[in-house]
Amino acid sequence: MIKAGIIGSTGYAGNELVRLLMGHPEVEVVWYGSRSYVDEKYANIYRNMFKLIEDKCLDDNIEKLSKEVDVIFTATPQGYLAGVLTEDILSNTKVIDLSADYRIKDVATYEKWYGITHKSPQFIEEAVYGLCEINRDKVKGARLIANPGCYTTCSILTAYPLVRDGLIDVDTLIVDAKSGTSGAGRGAKVANLYCEVNENIKAYGVASHRHTPEIEEQLGYACGGDVVINFTPHLIPMNRGILATEYASLKKVNLPDGSVGYPDEDMIRDCYKKYYKDEYFIRLLDKGMNPETRWVEGSNFVDINFVIDERTHRVIMMGALDNICKGAAGQAVQNMNILFGFKEQEGLELVPMC
Amino acid sequence: MIKAGIIGSTGYAGNELVRLLMGHPEVEVVWYGSRSYVDEKYANIYRNMFKLIEDKCLDDNIEKLSKEVDVIFTATPQGYLAGVLTEDILSNTKVIDLSADYRIKDVATYEKWYGITHKSPQFIEEAVYGLCEINRDKVKGARLIANPGCYTTCSILTAYPLVRDGLIDVDTLIVDAKSGTSGAGRGAKVANLYCEVNENIKAYGVASHRHTPEIEEQLGYACGGDVVINFTPHLIPMNRGILATEYASLKKVNLPDGSVGYPDEDMIRDCYKKYYKDEYFIRLLDKGMNPETRWVEGSNFVDINFVIDERTHRVIMMGALDNICKGAAGQAVQNMNILFGFKEQEGLELVPMC
Amino acid sequence: MIKAGIIGSTGYAGNELVRLLMGHPEVEVVWYGSRSYVDEKYANIYRNMFKLIEDKCLDDNIEKLSKEVDVIFTATPQGYLAGVLTEDILSNTKVIDLSADYRIKDVATYEKWYGITHKSPQFIEEAVYGLCEINRDKVKGARLIANPGCYTTCSILTAYPLVRDGLIDVDTLIVDAKSGTSGAGRGAKVANLYCEVNENIKAYGVASHRHTPEIEEQLGYACGGDVVINFTPHLIPMNRGILATEYASLKKVNLPDGSVGYPDEDMIRDCYKKYYKDEYFIRLLDKGMNPETRWVEGSNFVDINFVIDERTHRVIMMGALDNICKGAAGQAVQNMNILFGFKEQEGLELVPMC
Amino acid sequence: MIKAGIIGSTGYAGNELVRLLMGHPEVEVVWYGSRSYVDEKYANIYRNMFKLIEDKCLDDNIEKLSKEVDVIFTATPQGYLAGVLTEDILSNTKVIDLSADYRIKDVATYEKWYGITHKSPQFIEEAVYGLCEINRDKVKGARLIANPGCYTTCSILTAYPLVRDGLIDVDTLIVDAKSGTSGAGRGAKVANLYCEVNENIKAYGVASHRHTPEIEEQLGYACGGDVVINFTPHLIPMNRGILATEYASLKKVNLPDGSVGYPDEDMIRDCYKKYYKDEYFIRLLDKGMNPETRWVEGSNFVDINFVIDERTHRVIMMGALDNICKGAAGQAVQNMNILFGFKEQEGLELVPMC
């Protein structure tokens, strides 16, 4: 049994962490951090927890916290962790950061896309990008995990095998992503009011969204080169879920019969299987099934599939996940499981609820 | 052609006023007031108006405004108008107030339920409660109209004929009302965020909602006595619409055949027809049709019907309207039409859009 | 480890049963019945179960099924079970019926409200009405459980203590209930299409809904007399959840100080505690908290609270539950747990997901 | 004043036609066709029309209808009109077809994508594709208008100027479109039930949707060559609205300064203005504004804008319209206005309702 603390426990990702950890047999949450609700009962804010949690919210004090727990989750705004992290903290405890502070290796890139000066670049190098299915081995033994973003997890996993094996031309990769509104956070903004979001769809951050360089960096590692993509997020009137629809031109490759040509359905499917067949949380759907967000709601699954368009020689890849679970808190717990040597799906065998 | 000014034009009711007045052949809006967006183009805030309105938003200055227009609409928070209204203003122009400041004749009642000191009680007496179907004659010639609230309009009109003619026992009247979220306004509050409202329903202001005394006062005039009711509003995950479901015990009355007993379907229906048969905006539905909010969306209609329960000798009355239109801006325009001698439905013959 | 079969496993309640039983350590589902999808993979219909369930759907054959399992759940249309149930089946296995076939003791009442001839009235007497918190003892040892309806569970539990202890006048009881659309089932009907339900609210079955006599019968047992109420259901644009808002006049009673008067906040609260303080699934909220459906979504909880209106001497009781879980499948599992001597909350300690 | 008949008046597009024509000063609807509701009052099906329309629905009889009206709108399933159209009908009256029967000039292409044998290919040649902004002159004088589809109108208008003027490489064009659920029609299908659509997003018809060849044909005319694109529609939990997000690589062109390079913001904007600056229904938004469906809801507007990505040399074009209005009924009325020489925006100056 380990002890965990959450800084930012009253945001949407924070509350999902709480929900998941309550069902985890190896973890006890002992610190419900929330700058906005200090001294209020957690269950007064999130009444789903009524009678289930008696704790009150605590103010941010990561140094103190680091001495009391085995792992800290920071579900905090950009820049928070970078502003307070110290060597002491990292020598006391593991830190799993759900913000973007340590996701991008190049400080200049981070500062440009986020518009923030990075306060502790000295920890970037050692931080491990916690996309479990791809970086599992590096996660083991790390002190600081940069937990990937929701759009990023979905976008990368959907394309990764084809990028890695060179079946698509990465220069043609376009990611058109659609997210439920919980991704916008629990801040009181007019743009996220019910009446502004309901009966509406819009793109935002076109050609400028902060998740872009994160996707590019990781896919760059996969193919061993620079990747520059288009990524367009959209806001959808639903609470949870991300769907990424991704387009890329197929590359001519050596075919099994010795000729050169475009990979077919079987080759693409085999490529996905090669990387994902043993991954519990990645479900490669049967041919003809398009991923839908509702089938993964409340779970840590990513549903993936693709369609080849013979007319354009493009492959349309689709991935769906729950942005708050696999796209945030679920993956954080998965990282924790790896870090502490628990069974990777411990506490995460959640049946999606539709 | 008259000139109109709107103070509070960027709230939801304010924007609906703008939409309605754009289609009104006798009115020109010359003042788009918005404390929050001074000097910004109105169409930047409400992009439905892109290319349709070129004006910029103006700061609040009701004295200046009163000299420039024939009518002022105040779609402002409680207490605003009471704090600035003067005899000068009222002698310059008509004022139609969408707030509650002048709806309640008894100052103490207003101050108790709203928790505000009334700054200009001297105008309460002359203010006319602008529930057009009931107070039409008083509206003509008034200087100051207290435009009724959304819950109130729906709750009163649904029960009015039966209360007026003594067919129900007003002491048993219970109003269970359900409202779309636009009724909560456009303020940036966590409770009104998409993810807090979607997939949820809750009651609020139980036994304490501010619209209660307004309903009681008006129904009291109807029956010539004191009325004390239960009114329970609920928040519904939709943008527009209010449904009021109202319960009351039937009173034994003299029946057409000379006996004494409970009124039947025909008597109740005749009572509704007696008051509403010539009312364009009130649609008494056919037997068996329950009002639904979508059938009145975007229009100034109130759909009303009832069911008699022979087992309990109660009548269940139901009324549906668009809270932003007939429940706010539409009724304000209807009042303006009466005030200025225009055809009452001018600019309001809107076909509901489902 | 017991074996279970589900007839009607592809309806919304059926799928929730599947979800819940997958997380139950003592049960294995061996029969996924679905007349509509015979021979299709269950996970093709409910893709949330992709990779989690490999079984195909089976045609209805309750006789055969009764020899293969320890418990049968029938999540079927009204009249199905009554048409096929036999003594043989009941001697082979336990049956938990999610339909209304055996909920009402008086056959004539059933036939009048449901418009169906009851095909096997001989089993009505022995059937136990499975409202666990109230009939727990009778459930133990039963062969046939009539699992309560969703509206009914919510309506009864919300008022039960006050009815039982005579604190309210049951003749004044009015239940105004609001349900998510999953309660309307998965049948392909125009009225339940997305565009018909979204942005809308309506009452239906006014003074005639089939759940009325079920509520009346059970509350009648509670107070030891006849109960006749008004029950008005409404359709709400959300998937899951029921909120019941209930109104009743307080009765003058002997007060603690010896005088006679209306019960106060403390007396009412004590009355609720008397019956519910040890009930895991009933959460009596703190004063001032109104139940909201989102706080119980996906769980077996019922959240209850009340407000006293000193002006009208009425109490407004409110209850919220997940119609598909505590209102159907969750309660069925709870009954199963009681029947088989498992811990009552086994498989049901679900943290609500908001 | 002309007379109009609608075949298929109880579908979603049919009802929108009714709504629009009620506000049109030059048209009287004299025939409400609906095979499904023969002899029922129209206002019983669409209760928004209660007290506004007294007519009953009529069975399909296009020959009889053609002798009684000046224009017929067919809002019918694919293949209906092709199966009944005759020279006689066309000599009696104008026909505006909202189905796809005459949209595609090549019969084989139609039959392949729609899987239907075309019953009257002899009328395809004379049919005019009624995308008003582009084919206005051809519409005048036509007898048969093939009214464009909703996805198509949005997709084509969003890219048309850049395709026409060769600023983008059409071989790279990808259209990722998102539609409200009314686009799926009013048929009773499980897939379109509220609970199946709500809290969900999915792609469908990937690389195989029927609107693909229609977009390709029209853009082919624009650029004078063959166009083969990827078009991916998605289903969104909202009633009305389509957003098309379109991606294409910029082509190097002669720049104003004499050099060769990628067109910049100004060149692209000028190109849009060149074609659309006098179009009332096309609103080219200001730089930085992304189209949102709610800003066009209930109106005939198409809101368009674009972003250039300097990193990938792609332009991201976005267009939003109301799928039932400009994407179906509104455009049909616009075509009628052109056909009969009415002012083009007559009856269509609808302020979007948000």
Side-chain angles (χ1 to χ4, degrees):
Chain A
M1 196 77 162
I2 62 168
K3 289 183 176 172
I6 303 170
I7 300 184
S9 67
T10 54
Y12 292 135
N15 178 248
E16 183 76 348
L17 263 173
V18 170
R19 180 177 82 94
L20 297 176
L21 294 175
M22 286 175 74
H24 197 296
E26 307 281 357
V27 187
E28 182 190 8
V29 177
V30 299
W31 181 293
Y32 295 84
S34 176
R35 205 182 299 189
S36 314
Y37 298 102
V38 176
D39 282 339
E40 286 195 54
K41 280 185 70 173
Y42 189 81
N44 282 8
I45 317 304
Y46 281 96
R47 294 189 189 168
N48 49 336
M49 302 308 181
F50 192 81
K51 286 213 321 189
L52 304 178
I53 297 177
E54 296 301 324
D55 298 64
K56 292 188 173 177
C57 294
L58 300 174
D59 203 354
D60 296 351
N61 187 339
I62 193 169
E63 290 215 24
K64 180 165 184 293
L65 173 57
S66 74
K67 294 171 195 151
E68 302 182 8
V69 296
D70 302 289
V71 60
I72 295 172
F73 296 93
T74 47
T76 42
Q78 309 311 331
Y80 166 78
L81 185 61
V84 298
L85 192 62
T86 63
E87 179 58 34
D88 264 8
I89 291 167
L90 284 178
S91 63
N92 288 339
T93 189
K94 304 279 189 186
V95 178
I96 299 175
D97 180 27
L98 281 74
S99 88
D101 285 3
Y102 300 98
R103 290 180 193 157
I104 294 172
K105 290 298 174 199
D106 184 57
V107 183
T109 301
Y110 174 89
E111 297 187 338
K112 176 183 159 205
W113 288 81
Y114 284 84
I116 307 177
T117 303
H118 201 297
K119 298 280 180 49
S120 54
Q122 69 273 21
F123 299 116
I124 295 180
E125 190 49 39
E126 81 159 291
V128 172
Y129 189 75
L131 189 49
C132 311
E133 283 74 12
I134 290 173
N135 281 346
R136 185 174 287 123
D137 288 340
K138 292 183 187 156
V139 170
K140 293 171 190 166
R143 301 194 300 175
L144 173 59
I145 301 292
N147 203 61
C150 49
Y151 278 127
T152 333
T153 298
C154 194
S155 302
I156 294 170
L157 291 176
T158 299
Y160 176 80
L162 306 191
V163 170
R164 176 83 187 266
D165 280 8
L167 296 181
I168 56 176
D169 177 357
V170 291
D171 291 338
T172 66
L173 184 62
I174 289 169
V175 177
D176 189 285
K178 298 91 178 169
S179 174
T181 304
S182 58
R186 200 165 165 267
K189 294 180 188 162
V190 168
N192 297 332
L193 290 176
Y194 184 84
C195 293
E196 308 285 315
V197 172
N198 188 39
E199 283 293 296
N200 192 33
I201 173 172
K202 66 175 176 186
Y204 63 100
V206 181
S208 61
H209 192 275
R210 294 165 168 197
H211 279 178
T212 310
E214 189 180 330
I215 301 169
E216 291 176 343
E217 179 174 332
Q218 297 299 322
L219 290 181
Y221 297 142
C223 70
D226 282 346
V227 173
V228 183
I229 65 163
N230 273 109
F231 168 67
T232 313
H234 297 77
L235 190 68
I236 302 291
M238 59 186 194
N239 283 13
R240 287 172 177 242
I242 281 183
L243 180 73
T245 312
E246 311 193 12
Y247 302 86
S249 295
L250 292 167
K251 273 177 28 186
K252 285 193 179 165
V253 294
N254 294 317
L255 301 179
D257 68 1
S259 69
V260 169
Y262 295 110
D264 65 3
E265 173 81 21
D266 287 344
M267 281 188 73
I268 299 289
R269 192 159 293 277
D270 285 346
C271 176
Y272 275 108
K273 284 182 185 163
K274 175 175 161 192
Y275 292 97
Y276 293 155
K277 69 174 189 301
D278 296 327
E279 293 297 339
Y280 178 79
F281 293 119
I282 300 184
R283 305 194 294 191
L284 181 65
L285 300 180
D286 294 342
K287 186 174 178 183
M289 292 180 174
N290 294 336
E292 307 186 23
T293 58
R294 67 174 164 148
W295 301 129
V296 295
E297 190 167 338
S299 83
N300 205 47
F301 289 119
V302 188
D303 281 5
I304 294 177
N305 214 346
F306 66 91
V307 172
I308 292 175
D309 188 343
E310 307 275 0
R311 304 178 335 126
T312 61
H313 301 301
R314 287 196 193 99
V315 61
I316 299 98
M317 300 156 277
M318 293 164 282
L321 52 69
D322 183 324
N323 59 309
I324 293 295
C325 195
K326 178 64 178 174
Q331 187 147 254
V333 172
Q334 193 180 351
N335 275 308
M336 178 197 74
N337 286 340
I338 298 172
L339 276 175
F340 288 87
F342 305 141
K343 189 179 138 200
E344 191 168 326
Q345 59 236 52
E346 194 71 83
L348 294 172
E349 290 177 284
L350 307 152
V351 180
M353 188 179 83
C354 62
Chain B
M1 196 76 160
I2 62 169
K3 289 184 177 170
I6 303 170
I7 300 184
S9 66
T10 55
Y12 292 136
N15 178 248
E16 183 76 348
L17 262 174
V18 170
R19 180 177 82 95
L20 297 176
L21 294 176
M22 287 175 74
H24 197 296
E26 306 282 357
V27 187
E28 181 190 8
V29 177
V30 299
W31 180 292
Y32 295 84
S34 176
R35 205 183 300 188
S36 313
Y37 298 102
V38 176
D39 282 340
E40 286 194 55
K41 281 185 69 173
Y42 188 81
N44 281 9
I45 316 303
Y46 280 97
R47 294 189 190 169
N48 49 336
M49 302 307 182
F50 192 82
K51 286 213 320 191
L52 304 178
I53 296 176
E54 296 301 324
D55 299 63
K56 291 187 173 176
C57 294
L58 300 173
D59 203 353
D60 297 351
N61 187 338
I62 193 169
E63 291 215 23
K64 181 166 185 291
L65 173 57
S66 74
K67 294 171 194 151
E68 302 182 8
V69 296
D70 302 289
V71 60
I72 294 173
F73 296 93
T74 47
T76 43
Q78 310 310 332
Y80 167 78
L81 186 60
V84 299
L85 192 61
T86 62
E87 178 59 32
D88 263 9
I89 291 168
L90 285 178
S91 63
N92 288 339
T93 189
K94 305 279 189 187
V95 176
I96 300 175
D97 180 27
L98 281 74
S99 88
D101 285 2
Y102 300 98
R103 289 180 193 158
I104 294 173
K105 290 297 175 200
D106 184 57
V107 184
T109 301
Y110 174 88
E111 296 187 340
K112 177 184 159 204
W113 288 81
Y114 283 86
I116 306 177
T117 303
H118 201 297
K119 299 280 181 50
S120 55
Q122 68 273 23
F123 300 115
I124 295 179
E125 190 49 39
E126 80 159 292
V128 172
Y129 189 74
L131 190 49
C132 311
E133 283 74 12
I134 291 173
N135 281 346
R136 184 175 287 121
D137 288 340
K138 291 182 188 157
V139 170
K140 294 171 190 164
R143 300 195 299 176
L144 172 59
I145 301 292
N147 203 61
C150 49
Y151 278 126
T152 333
T153 298
C154 194
S155 301
I156 295 169
L157 290 176
T158 299
Y160 176 81
L162 306 190
V163 170
R164 176 82 187 266
D165 280 9
L167 296 181
I168 56 176
D169 177 358
V170 291
D171 290 339
T172 66
L173 183 62
I174 289 170
V175 177
D176 189 286
K178 298 91 178 169
S179 174
T181 305
S182 57
R186 200 164 165 268
K189 293 180 187 161
V190 168
N192 297 331
L193 291 177
Y194 183 84
C195 293
E196 307 285 315
V197 172
N198 188 39
E199 282 294 293
N200 192 33
I201 173 172
K202 66 174 176 187
Y204 63 100
V206 182
S208 61
H209 192 275
R210 295 166 167 195
H211 278 180
T212 310
E214 189 180 330
I215 302 170
E216 292 177 343
E217 179 174 332
Q218 297 300 321
L219 290 181
Y221 297 143
C223 70
D226 282 346
V227 173
V228 183
I229 66 163
N230 272 108
F231 168 68
T232 313
H234 296 78
L235 189 68
I236 302 292
M238 59 186 195
N239 284 12
R240 287 172 177 242
I242 280 184
L243 180 73
T245 312
E246 311 193 12
Y247 303 86
S249 295
L250 292 168
K251 272 172 39 181
K252 286 192 178 166
V253 293
N254 294 317
L255 300 180
D257 68 1
S259 69
V260 169
Y262 293 110
D264 66 3
E265 173 81 23
D266 287 345
M267 282 187 72
I268 299 289
R269 193 160 292 279
D270 285 346
C271 176
Y272 275 108
K273 284 183 185 161
K274 175 175 161 193
Y275 292 97
Y276 292 155
K277 68 174 189 301
D278 296 327
E279 293 297 339
Y280 179 79
F281 293 119
I282 299 184
R283 305 195 295 191
L284 181 66
L285 300 181
D286 294 343
K287 187 175 177 180
M289 291 180 175
N290 294 336
E292 307 186 24
T293 57
R294 67 174 165 148
W295 300 128
V296 295
E297 190 168 337
S299 82
N300 205 47
F301 289 118
V302 188
D303 281 5
I304 293 178
N305 214 346
F306 66 91
V307 172
I308 292 174
D309 187 343
E310 307 274 1
R311 304 177 337 124
T312 61
H313 301 301
R314 288 196 193 100
V315 61
I316 299 98
M317 300 156 277
M318 292 164 283
L321 53 69
D322 183 325
N323 60 310
I324 294 294
C325 195
K326 178 63 178 175
Q331 187 147 254
V333 172
Q334 192 180 351
N335 275 308
M336 179 196 75
N337 286 339
I338 298 172
L339 277 174
F340 289 88
F342 304 141
K343 189 179 137 199
E344 190 168 325
Q345 59 236 52
E346 193 72 82
L348 293 171
E349 291 177 285
L350 306 151
V351 181
M353 188 178 83
C354 61
Chain C
M1 194 77 161
I2 63 168
K3 288 183 176 171
I6 303 169
I7 300 185
S9 67
T10 55
Y12 292 135
N15 178 248
E16 183 76 348
L17 262 174
V18 171
R19 180 177 83 95
L20 297 177
L21 294 176
M22 288 175 72
H24 197 296
E26 306 283 356
V27 188
E28 180 190 9
V29 177
V30 299
W31 181 292
Y32 295 84
S34 176
R35 206 183 299 188
S36 315
Y37 298 102
V38 176
D39 283 339
E40 285 195 56
K41 282 185 69 172
Y42 189 82
N44 281 9
I45 316 305
Y46 281 96
R47 294 191 190 167
N48 49 336
M49 303 306 181
F50 192 81
K51 286 212 322 189
L52 303 178
I53 296 177
E54 295 302 323
D55 298 64
K56 290 187 172 177
C57 294
L58 300 173
D59 204 353
D60 296 352
N61 186 339
I62 193 169
E63 290 216 24
K64 180 166 185 293
L65 173 57
S66 73
K67 293 170 195 152
E68 302 182 9
V69 297
D70 302 289
V71 61
I72 294 173
F73 295 93
T74 46
T76 43
Q78 311 309 332
Y80 166 79
L81 185 61
V84 299
L85 191 61
T86 63
E87 179 58 33
D88 264 8
I89 292 167
L90 284 178
S91 63
N92 288 338
T93 188
K94 304 280 189 187
V95 177
I96 300 174
D97 180 28
L98 280 74
S99 88
D101 285 3
Y102 300 97
R103 289 180 194 158
I104 295 172
K105 290 297 174 200
D106 184 56
V107 183
T109 301
Y110 173 89
E111 296 188 339
K112 177 183 158 206
W113 288 80
Y114 283 85
I116 305 177
T117 303
H118 201 296
K119 298 283 180 49
S120 55
Q122 68 273 22
F123 299 115
I124 294 178
E125 190 50 38
E126 80 159 290
V128 172
Y129 189 74
L131 190 48
C132 311
E133 283 74 11
I134 291 173
N135 282 346
R136 184 174 288 122
D137 288 340
K138 292 183 188 155
V139 169
K140 293 171 190 165
R143 300 194 300 176
L144 173 58
I145 301 292
N147 202 63
C150 49
Y151 278 127
T152 333
T153 299
C154 194
S155 301
I156 295 170
L157 291 176
T158 299
Y160 176 81
L162 306 191
V163 171
R164 177 83 186 264
D165 280 8
L167 296 181
I168 56 176
D169 176 358
V170 290
D171 290 338
T172 66
L173 183 61
I174 289 170
V175 177
D176 190 285
K178 299 90 178 167
S179 174
T181 304
S182 57
R186 200 164 166 267
K189 293 180 188 162
V190 168
N192 297 331
L193 291 177
Y194 184 85
C195 293
E196 308 285 315
V197 173
N198 188 40
E199 282 295 294
N200 193 33
I201 174 172
K202 65 175 177 187
Y204 63 100
V206 181
S208 61
H209 192 275
R210 294 165 167 198
H211 279 179
T212 311
E214 189 180 330
I215 302 169
E216 291 176 343
E217 179 175 333
Q218 298 300 322
L219 291 181
Y221 297 142
C223 69
D226 283 346
V227 173
V228 183
I229 65 164
N230 272 109
F231 169 67
T232 312
H234 297 77
L235 189 68
I236 302 291
M238 59 185 193
N239 284 12
R240 289 172 175 241
I242 281 184
L243 180 73
T245 313
E246 311 192 12
Y247 302 87
S249 295
L250 292 168
K251 273 175 33 185
K252 285 191 178 165
V253 294
N254 293 317
L255 300 180
D257 67 1
S259 68
V260 169
Y262 293 110
D264 65 3
E265 173 80 22
D266 287 345
M267 281 188 74
I268 299 288
R269 192 160 293 278
D270 285 346
C271 176
Y272 274 108
K273 283 183 186 163
K274 175 176 162 193
Y275 292 97
Y276 292 156
K277 69 175 188 301
D278 296 327
E279 293 297 339
Y280 178 79
F281 294 119
I282 299 184
R283 304 194 295 191
L284 182 65
L285 301 180
D286 294 342
K287 186 175 178 181
M289 291 181 175
N290 295 335
E292 307 187 22
T293 59
R294 67 175 166 147
W295 300 128
V296 294
E297 190 168 337
S299 83
N300 205 48
F301 289 118
V302 189
D303 280 5
I304 293 177
N305 214 346
F306 66 91
V307 172
I308 292 175
D309 188 343
E310 307 275 0
R311 304 180 335 127
T312 61
H313 302 301
R314 287 197 194 99
V315 61
I316 299 99
M317 299 156 278
M318 293 164 282
L321 53 69
D322 183 324
N323 60 309
I324 293 294
C325 196
K326 178 64 178 175
Q331 187 147 253
V333 171
Q334 193 180 350
N335 275 307
M336 180 196 74
N337 285 341
I338 298 172
L339 277 175
F340 289 88
F342 304 141
K343 188 179 138 198
E344 191 168 324
Q345 59 236 53
E346 193 72 83
L348 294 171
E349 290 178 283
L350 307 151
V351 180
M353 188 179 82
C354 62
Chain D
M1 195 77 161
I2 63 168
K3 289 183 175 170
I6 303 170
I7 300 185
S9 67
T10 55
Y12 292 134
N15 178 248
E16 182 76 349
L17 262 174
V18 171
R19 180 176 82 94
L20 297 177
L21 294 176
M22 287 175 74
H24 197 296
E26 306 281 357
V27 187
E28 181 190 8
V29 177
V30 298
W31 181 291
Y32 294 84
S34 175
R35 207 183 297 188
S36 314
Y37 297 102
V38 175
D39 283 339
E40 286 195 55
K41 281 185 69 172
Y42 189 81
N44 282 8
I45 315 305
Y46 280 97
R47 294 189 190 168
N48 49 336
M49 303 306 182
F50 192 81
K51 286 212 322 188
L52 303 178
I53 296 177
E54 295 301 324
D55 298 63
K56 291 188 171 175
C57 294
L58 300 173
D59 203 353
D60 296 352
N61 186 339
I62 193 170
E63 290 215 23
K64 180 165 185 293
L65 173 56
S66 74
K67 294 170 193 150
E68 302 182 9
V69 297
D70 302 289
V71 61
I72 295 173
F73 296 92
T74 46
T76 43
Q78 311 310 332
Y80 166 79
L81 185 61
V84 298
L85 191 62
T86 62
E87 179 58 33
D88 264 9
I89 292 167
L90 285 178
S91 64
N92 288 339
T93 188
K94 303 281 189 186
V95 177
I96 299 175
D97 180 28
L98 281 73
S99 88
D101 285 3
Y102 301 97
R103 289 179 195 158
I104 294 172
K105 291 297 174 199
D106 183 56
V107 183
T109 301
Y110 173 88
E111 297 188 338
K112 177 183 157 204
W113 288 80
Y114 284 85
I116 306 177
T117 302
H118 202 296
K119 298 282 181 48
S120 55
Q122 69 273 22
F123 299 116
I124 295 178
E125 189 51 38
E126 80 159 290
V128 172
Y129 189 75
L131 190 48
C132 311
E133 283 75 11
I134 291 173
N135 281 347
R136 184 174 286 122
D137 288 340
K138 292 184 187 155
V139 169
K140 294 171 189 165
R143 301 194 300 175
L144 173 58
I145 301 292
N147 203 62
C150 50
Y151 277 127
T152 333
T153 298
C154 194
S155 301
I156 294 170
L157 291 176
T158 299
Y160 176 81
L162 306 191
V163 170
R164 176 83 185 265
D165 281 8
L167 296 182
I168 56 175
D169 176 359
V170 290
D171 290 338
T172 66
L173 183 62
I174 289 170
V175 177
D176 189 286
K178 299 91 178 168
S179 174
T181 305
S182 57
R186 201 164 165 268
K189 292 180 188 162
V190 168
N192 297 332
L193 290 176
Y194 184 84
C195 293
E196 308 286 314
V197 173
N198 188 40
E199 282 295 294
N200 193 32
I201 173 171
K202 66 175 175 186
Y204 63 100
V206 181
S208 60
H209 192 276
R210 294 165 167 196
H211 279 179
T212 311
E214 189 180 330
I215 302 169
E216 292 176 343
E217 179 175 331
Q218 297 300 322
L219 291 182
Y221 298 142
C223 69
D226 283 346
V227 173
V228 182
I229 65 164
N230 273 108
F231 168 68
T232 312
H234 297 76
L235 189 68
I236 302 290
M238 59 185 195
N239 284 12
R240 288 171 175 242
I242 282 184
L243 179 73
T245 313
E246 312 193 12
Y247 302 86
S249 296
L250 293 167
K251 273 174 37 183
K252 286 191 178 166
V253 294
N254 293 317
L255 300 180
D257 67 0
S259 69
V260 169
Y262 294 110
D264 65 4
E265 173 80 22
D266 287 344
M267 281 188 73
I268 298 289
R269 193 160 291 279
D270 285 345
C271 176
Y272 274 107
K273 285 183 184 161
K274 174 177 162 193
Y275 292 98
Y276 292 155
K277 69 175 189 301
D278 296 327
E279 293 297 339
Y280 178 78
F281 294 119
I282 300 183
R283 305 195 293 191
L284 182 65
L285 301 180
D286 293 343
K287 186 175 177 180
M289 292 181 175
N290 294 336
E292 306 186 25
T293 58
R294 66 175 166 148
W295 300 128
V296 295
E297 190 169 337
S299 83
N300 205 48
F301 289 118
V302 189
D303 281 4
I304 293 177
N305 214 346
F306 66 91
V307 172
I308 291 175
D309 187 343
E310 308 274 0
R311 304 179 334 126
T312 61
H313 301 302
R314 288 196 192 100
V315 61
I316 299 99
M317 300 156 277
M318 294 164 282
L321 53 68
D322 183 324
N323 59 310
I324 294 293
C325 196
K326 177 64 177 175
Q331 187 146 256
V333 172
Q334 193 180 351
N335 274 308
M336 180 196 74
N337 285 340
I338 298 173
L339 277 174
F340 289 88
F342 305 140
K343 188 178 139 199
E344 191 168 325
Q345 59 236 52
E346 192 72 82
L348 294 172
E349 290 177 285
L350 306 151
V351 180
M353 188 178 83
C354 61

